[in-house]
Structure formats: C-alpha cells, structure tokens
Amino acid sequence: MNSSPSSTLSTSANRDLFDQSALSDLAQRLVEAARRAGADAADAVAVRGVSQGVEVRDGRVEESERSEGDDVGLRVLVGQRQAVVSTNDVSGDAVTKLAERAVAMARVAPDDKYVGLADPALLARDFPDLDLLDPHVPTTAELERRALAAEAAALGVKGVTKSGGASASAGIGGMVLVTSTGFHGSYLRSSQGISATAISGEATSMERDYDFTSAPHGADLLSPETVGRSAGERTVARYNPRKVETCKVPVVFDPRVAGSLVGHLVGAINGASIARKTSFLKDKLGQQLFAKNIRIVDDPLRKRGLRSQTFDAEGVAVQRLALVDEGVLTTWLLDCATARELGLTTTGHAHRGVSSSPSPGPYNLHLEPGTPTPAELIADVKQGFYVTDLIGSGVNGVTGDYSRGASGFWIENGEITYPVSEVTIAGHLFEIFKSMQPANNLEFRYGINAPTVRIEGLTLGGR
C-alpha cells in the first residue's frame, strides 16, 4: 500500500486511477465485436473497483489490505434471446472470443419477449456534476490515524471495558456503459468510511454497540473522535438490559433503524416482484398507504450522495422521484424489461453487475421529516419501546407480515428509561405504514435515510 505522507490527484498513479478512457475504449470494442459476431444489439459495462482498508484493535494495526481491479461484462441480443458474459482478462484476442462466445450462448438461450436495450429516446443526454469524486485519496497512514483515533475515543468513554476494533477505509468505484444504440456514459465515485465497536461489562454480561460514518468525500465524514465516542456511549447505555412482558405498545424507531421501514416498502414495489406477483403491494399502485403528510423520495441526483449517478445501468436518464406522495404509492421501480412486462415505461432504476442482466433497484432514499421533535414524538407515550437495533430478517414480502428481533430502551411516561434486549417486534406492514409518524431530525448519513419514526400498536414479544 502507498504509505507516502500525501496522496492526491496530482500524482501520476491517481491520474491513471481516475482515467476511464481505456475502459471506455474496451467497452466500445466489445460492442463492435458483438455486432460483427452476429448480435442484433449489445451493451458493455466496464467496472472499476479500488479499495484500501485498515483495521485496528488495542492500539495496533490488525489488518491492512488493498484491492483493485477492472472487470467487463457484455450483454448481447439475438432476436428475443439474450446472454451475458464477463471477464477480467482482455489480453490478446480475448475481446473477439468473448463476443463470439456471448453470441453463441444467446442463440441457444430461450426466447424472452421482454428483453432489449432501452428506447433511444429515454437515454441520458445531460450528465450534471454530482461532485462524487474526492480528489484526495487518503494514505494508509491517514487511515491508520483515523481508525486509532476512533478506537481511542471509544475506550475513553467511562464504562467501556474493551475495544471491539475500529476501521477506516477508502475506495473508488466507477462504471462505463456503451450500447449499440449509441449511448456512451461513465462515472466515478469515491467512498470513505470510519467505524468503531466498543464493549462494556465482563464475562457473560457484556454488551457491544458500534457507530460508523461513510461519505464520498472525506470532508463529509464525522470525525473519528465523534464516531468512537458515539460507539462507546451507545454501548454503555445498553449495559445491564432488562426483559419486558409481552404487550402491545407504541414503538419508536431510532434513525439508524428507521430507514429499514423504507427499505421494506422499496423491496415490495420492485418491478421484478410486481411482475412475478410476489409482493403484498402488487395491486396497491395509486392507493393511500400512509398518512397524508408522508413523502418518500428516491433521489439519484443528490450531490455527494452515497448512491448518486446520472444514468442507470441501461443508459436511461434518472430523476428525483417521489415514490410515496401525500401518502399515496405513486410508482413501481422499473428497468426496461420489467416495464415492458407490466406494460409501462422504465423509471430509470436499472442496476447491474458485469455478470448479470439489469434489474430494478433504488438510489438515495429518504423519508421526509415531520414537524415534531423526537422528544415531542414520545412525550405522550405512557409505555412503549424505543428501538436502536434490529436482528434477523423476518419480513415476508409476499404477505407483508413483519417480525424482527430487537433491542433498545423502554419508554415510560414520555421518557426513555432502561435498556431492553431479547424482544421481538411484530405486526403487519400495512398497519406500520398507516400509522407512521416521522420526527423532524432527518440527516443524510446512509443509503436509506429516515428521521425518528413512531409506529402505533405493535406487538412486543418478551417474557
């Protein structure tokens, strides 16, 4: 790993890292080779991934690693038949051989009347600068400093008995897409992160918790000290948890876990699930699922967003979209194939890797904030539960049944009191959506962001 005191865009190594011209040329050659081999249409993606990370424990570096590589994928269409191939070896005549193999595979693939490239009229033509690339690439020494500072801050919190480790990472990821219909687009995105885990207690009565920060730009990260201190304070607050009796109470979701509720909605409105009729929301488009003050937005064009980009994996222009507006479900998430199957137009939500065909998925999601503060949201709760961590994935996307293991804190007379662990929250997503009340404390820290959220009448499974 590079251990020089600074590592910036001015170095030749980073100029090479940020230069995607060779990947663009390769994708173009793949598409041309596919057409020569007999494909009616083709597109090629080239993906760049570079990452470095440092893990520390007890003031020492436990692991330091770096990985980098470029991979390419080619999708070809012969009539209504499709094949996808990928490789990271494009030496010699590999491009021609890859294209010929893809076309041969497509010719024996089953017919699929929904496959095809995007309508040229839908392709992106404007590529606004979303400020996704931090020109400063942190050195290994800088990552070590961040991780050690986070760990030291966690250990400095009274009541923390040992470190669960801390880490710092940085990376660059990018994609080039070229299609036989004339689209040529690319983007690069940097990513940086810091995390820390702390432990309180001893032997069989230990508790642990964590915190982390991530952003494309290092300047947008929380400080290592803030991350470590938060991890320590969260851990100490969890110490000596109690059990509670099974009951039905209001449940308040901390922002760190409230985004999961948005995630369940988005999974259920994925066009692939709708086309297969495996979603409990399959017949709910245009219906009121939430209170009128609820708005859920997907924004791929947010500057410095963790999942921002200007075009999707089929070259279609993306846009800021309210998935839920005034409580009404307004759209499915669609790529071209699922849109054709449903008789609709793609929403520009195609994602893909080098070895897969496109499928729908979200970008930067958020639940817009409400007006009450978190304190006001729980002020009238006589008895309730404040969730800080969720365990397991007991959500049935076909039926909408919801059941998750959880830990957090008991609410009594409008105040957060003692820690609670080993409980289960259960209900139905229809009821959860209907009673959702957001607070005013939205922050953009994750891929899915939500403020504190209150849900009425969930069943808490305890003793």
Side-chain angles (χ1 to χ4, degrees), residues 17 47-51 67-71 171-174:
L17 185 61
V47 175
R48 168 160 293 166
V50 180
S51 65
S67 65
E68 58 181 277
D70 295 338
D71 297 287
I172 291 172

Side-chain angles (χ1 to χ4, degrees), residues 309 311-314 334-336 346 348-352 358-361 363:
Q309 57 195 67
F311 60 90
D312 79 351
E314 295 176 295
L334 303 171
D335 64 352
C336 288
T346 177
H349 280 91
H351 294 256
R352 68 181 285 195
S359 60
Y363 300 104

Side-chain angles (χ1 to χ4, degrees), residues 228-302:
R229 189 164 52 250
S230 173
E233 289 169 351
R234 283 176 174 271
T235 300
V236 171
R238 292 175 62 137
Y239 187 63
N240 198 22
R242 304 184 200 175
K243 305 289 189 293
V244 294
E245 301 291 340
T246 296
C247 54
K248 200 167 188 177
V249 292
V251 174
V252 180
F253 288 73
D254 181 84
R256 191 165 81 176
V257 292
S260 66
L261 301 175
V262 177
H264 299 320
L265 168 79
V266 170
I269 64 171
N270 186 296
S273 298
I274 302 303
R276 291 194 302 265
K277 303 190 184 308
T278 56
S279 168
F280 75 103
L281 296 180
K282 63 184 182 295
D283 55 357
K284 300 299 182 184
L285 190 63
Q287 294 192 23
Q288 186 97 32
L289 299 182
F290 299 80
K292 284 207 166 185
N293 65 325
I294 298 296
R295 197 163 189 263
I296 296 173
V297 174
D298 191 23
D299 186 6
L301 299 174
R302 182 153 56 81

Side-chain angles (χ1 to χ4, degrees), residues 237-238 240-244 384-386 388 406-411 417-423 460:
R238 292 175 62 137
N240 198 22
R242 304 184 200 175
K243 305 289 189 293
V244 294
F385 184 50
Y386 185 87
T388 57
S407 59
F409 299 86
W410 192 244
I411 303 170
T417 56
Y418 53 83
V420 170
S421 67
E422 297 180 21
V423 296
L460 204 64

Side-chain angles (χ1 to χ4, degrees), residues 34 55 93 113 130 147 164 182 186 229 242 254 321 389 393 418:
E55 294 184 14
D93 59 353
K113 61 185 177 180
L130 302 179
S186 64
R229 189 164 52 250
R242 304 184 200 175
D254 181 84
L321 193 61
D389 276 288
S393 54
Y418 53 83

Side-chain angles (χ1 to χ4, degrees), residues 10 15 18 44 51 69 73 79 156 218 228 243 259 275 287 299 306 343 345 347 354 402-403 422 425 432 443 448:
S10 61
R15 280 200 301 272
F18 296 159
S51 65
K243 305 289 189 293
Q287 294 192 23
D299 186 6
L306 283 170
T345 302
T347 56
V354 293
Y402 181 94
S403 179
E422 297 180 21
I425 308 169
I432 290 172
E443 292 183 343
I448 304 178

